[in-house]
Every structure is written in C-alpha cells, then in structure tokens.
Amino acid sequence: MDWTPFDVDDRAALNAAIPTPEDSPVVIVDDEVQVLDLLSKVLGREGYPVDVFESGQSALPRIREGGVSLLITDIRMPDMDGMELASLALEEDPDLAILVLTGAAEDYLQKPVPVDELLEAVRRALRRRSHALYRHQLEAWLRAEVNKRTEQVQLQAEQLQEVSLATLTALIRAMEAKDPYLRGHSERVAELGVRMAIELAMDSADVEEIRVACLLHDIGMIAIRESVMHKNGPLTDDEYRHIQGHVKTGASILRPLPNLGGAVDFVQYHHERLDGSGYPEGLSGEQIPFGAQIVGAAEIFVSLTESRAHREARSASEALEAMKRGCSAWYLPDVMGALDSVISTSQ
C-alpha cells in the first residue's frame, strides 16, 4: 500500500469523499428505450461514462467485468426485476452504489425523473460509495499498521507508542474530516479534558492519559456499519447495540499498544454513568474509572456546543446549564465542578 494516514489532511480526506464524474462509470438498465436515452444523455453531458442495457440479464456481464461505480435500474422489467438485479450486482461488488427507479433501496426516483433530482441522487449515491471505500482503506491500513508495529519488538516501547498514537490520531482526523459536523471534534474534547484534569490537580502522567483517551475516544467507530452510522430515522434495538459496541472495539484496538496506562479503560468506559444507566457494562459509582468520567463529561459538553444536522449548536453557557440539569446523576460532583470552573473562567 503506497499511502498512509500521515499523508491525509482534511482537504485530502474531503476530496477523496467526492468522486469526479469521469471516474464514476454508470450502468443504466431499463426496458424503456426513451428512458435509457434521456438518462444517458443527461449523465453523459455531466461527464459520466455510461453503459445502457434493456434488461438485467444483458447488464450483468458488464457489472461482472468490474469498474462500475453506480447502477441505475428500473424495478419492473420482464426478464429480471430491478431488485433481483441489484441483489446480484451487490454480490459482485458490495460497495456498488445503486439507484432504483420507482422502488426502494439506497435511494429511489419516481419516473419521469426531473433532471436536477437525478443528478443530485447520482452524486449522493456515489458519495456514499466513496465514503465506504475510503473507510475500508483506512480500516485495512490501521489493522496492518497496528499488527506491523506490535510485531517490531526491537523498537523501544516509547518509539512504538509515539508512532502508533500518531497513526491513530491521523486516522481520527481523516474520519472526522469526512463529516462537516464532526471535523475537529476529538481534538476539542481533548483540549477540554486536559483543562479539566489540570483543574482537578492531576499529575502530568494522568493528564497525558486523559489527553490520549479524549483524542481516541471514538476510534472504535471505524467498525460501525455505514448503514447504521448514516441512517435517517430512529435506530432499532439491534442497531443501537451495534453502535454501543464501539467502546469495546476501541479498547481492543488500543490494548496492544504499550504504555497507554489507564487511557484504554477511559476509552472503554467513557459512556458509563454513576447511576448505572450507561454502557457497555452498566457500571456504577466507584466501579467507573475517574478518568472515564472526565472523558465522558468533556465529550457531552463539546457535542452540545457543536452543530448537528438535526439541531443548532448551543452556547457554552447553555450547554453547561443543560448538563447541570440533566447529568447530575451521571458524573461525580468533582468532575462537574471542574467542568463548571473551566467553562466559567473561559467566558
């Protein structure tokens, strides 16, 4: 592999998530010739390489050749319906983007298709596909890098830790760069967590563990399925449990790295709550590491002050008041006091 996350900055990650039309071959399948003509002309003008077919059977050989980014298919066709074609196509390429005309899949369009809606749906589907492919690359690189680094026992432990943490931090930055709502989130959590730890008069080694845990608290999100991560609408119980698993996944990624100390447990338990309502193990009271309390409180505060697709950001004072009202049963008074002091003195 000829690239590493060290080579990825925010702009590069964003560019990787936005494919160019010229690099996004499209296969269109419809038994209506006039529909094929219209769609191929519209997409051809935009620069997309287009292959058209009047049946699913005739389109399959082209899909099996590989190199197709997007399949647009009618759902009602005589020899093979669009959903069957989509299923067979995904067996060939699980990352293939799919648009279904008058149906339900990743996206759908109702005939006759307005040109602007068609182009936006195409871009949206290809962007989802590119995000998935980019994420797969990062995950594969991370696994290979961790294995390689941990096998190099001749390296000094300090050197191994420095390289591995830089690698993981670069991965976090690349992941967050793909989402405008999350860019820089972990670094903001780390800044606040460190300030809280200093306010609590923790020694320098403990402060460093807090910083590392805050930076990497969401590293396990690389294992969350794209369909769950970007789902529009409420999650099912199974999907919610799938997301909750990111803390254990993150801890399992970090445990092979030397000299992280308590930071690994802080990552695993930062969603635990004093009253036992948290996850992954429903710990309560003194069962929860103190550092995990700091990481959890810092993350919630930062999240409240960041915009999301479904809500506007709260001001620092509004977020602090919201946490005092709603989180008093979750965190120790010392942790909430440190947060209050740090935020109040910075305004």
Side-chain angles (χ1 to χ4, degrees):
M1 195 171 296
D2 59 1
W3 65 275
T4 78
F6 292 117
D7 305 320
V8 179
D9 61 18
D10 289 354
R11 288 174 297 175
L14 286 172
N15 289 338
I18 304 175
T20 62
E22 294 78 8
D23 295 326
S24 306
V26 179
V27 166
I28 306 173
V29 185
D30 200 303
D31 58 345
E32 298 181 50
V33 176
Q34 62 271 30
V35 173
L36 290 177
D37 289 343
L38 172 62
L39 297 186
S40 62
K41 288 178 181 177
V42 169
L43 295 180
R45 283 199 303 265
E46 295 295 315
Y48 294 96
V50 178
D51 290 314
V52 298
F53 301 91
E54 295 183 27
S55 69
Q57 292 287 3
S58 61
L60 276 176
R62 171 64 187 92
I63 294 171
R64 287 171 178 151
E65 287 177 10
V68 178
S69 296
L70 171 66
L71 167 65
I72 302 176
T73 177
D74 188 12
I75 196 170
R76 294 186 178 88
M77 296 182 292
D79 65 330
M80 176 188 296
D81 68 33
M83 298 310 291
E84 182 182 358
L85 173 60
S87 178
L88 293 172
L90 288 172
E91 290 180 8
E92 299 294 329
D93 180 0
D95 293 313
L96 181 66
I98 296 176
L99 291 178
V100 175
L101 302 177
T102 65
E106 285 188 71
D107 212 338
Y108 68 91
L109 294 169
Q110 188 74 36
K111 294 189 208 176
V113 185
V115 170
D116 57 344
E117 290 185 17
L118 169 67
L119 294 176
E120 178 55 32
V122 166
R123 295 187 190 103
R124 188 168 58 243
L126 290 173
R127 192 175 298 115
R128 278 197 300 265
R129 175 179 183 273
S130 186
H131 282 189
L133 291 172
Y134 186 59
R135 187 184 179 114
H136 296 338
Q137 285 182 307
L138 288 172
E139 291 173 9
W141 192 92
L142 172 65
R143 293 189 186 97
E145 181 67 11
V146 170
N147 290 336
K148 180 179 70 176
R149 298 296 181 184
T150 53
E151 288 171 0
Q152 293 175 335
V153 295
Q154 70 274 18
L155 288 177
Q156 293 295 325
E158 292 78 9
Q159 293 174 316
L160 178 57
Q161 180 184 8
E162 180 181 351
V163 172
S164 298
L165 289 180
T167 299
L168 295 173
T169 302
L171 175 62
I172 286 287
R173 291 181 67 249
M175 288 171 57
E176 291 181 352
K178 294 188 294 179
D179 188 336
Y181 296 109
L182 293 180
R183 196 175 310 132
H185 168 80
S186 294
E187 291 177 352
R188 287 189 288 272
V189 174
E191 180 183 359
L192 178 56
V194 166
R195 292 170 64 194
M196 291 171 63
I198 293 173
E199 178 69 22
L200 289 161
M202 300 175 74
D203 64 35
S204 59
D206 291 335
V207 172
E208 177 61 12
E209 288 183 352
I210 295 295
R211 185 188 72 84
V212 170
C214 287
L215 277 175
L216 304 178
H217 71 277
D218 273 344
I219 188 69
M221 295 298 284
I222 66 170
I224 302 303
R225 297 190 298 270
E226 289 286 333
S227 59
V228 176
M229 182 83 72
H230 300 297
K231 181 177 180 180
N232 291 322
L235 299 176
T236 66
D237 290 344
D238 285 343
E239 289 169 338
Y240 186 59
R241 284 191 291 270
H242 177 58
I243 285 185
Q244 288 180 330
H246 82 276
V247 289
K248 286 189 173 180
T249 299
S252 70
I253 291 171
L254 298 177
R255 285 199 193 284
L257 306 183
N259 301 331
L260 291 189
V264 178
D265 285 340
F266 300 166
V267 169
Q268 179 161 345
Y269 300 122
H270 75 277
H271 280 291
E272 299 285 4
R273 308 300 184 220
L274 281 184
D275 60 3
S277 63
Y279 62 86
E281 297 177 16
L283 302 182
S284 61
E286 295 181 357
Q287 295 176 309
I288 305 171
F290 188 69
Q293 287 257 301
I294 296 173
V295 177
E299 181 190 31
I300 288 182
F301 178 86
V302 170
S303 296
L304 288 173
T305 58
E306 294 171 334
S307 296
R308 293 291 186 267
H310 59 283
R311 63 165 173 80
E312 295 295 324
R314 300 191 189 191
S315 67
S317 58
E318 290 171 339
L320 184 60
E321 287 305 311
M323 289 190 67
K324 288 179 180 178
R325 292 193 306 270
C327 301
S328 58
W330 291 359
Y331 301 111
L332 290 167
D334 286 352
V335 172
M336 290 300 295
L339 176 64
D340 191 350
S341 179
V342 166
I343 299 305
S344 298
T345 56
S346 64
Q347 295 186 47

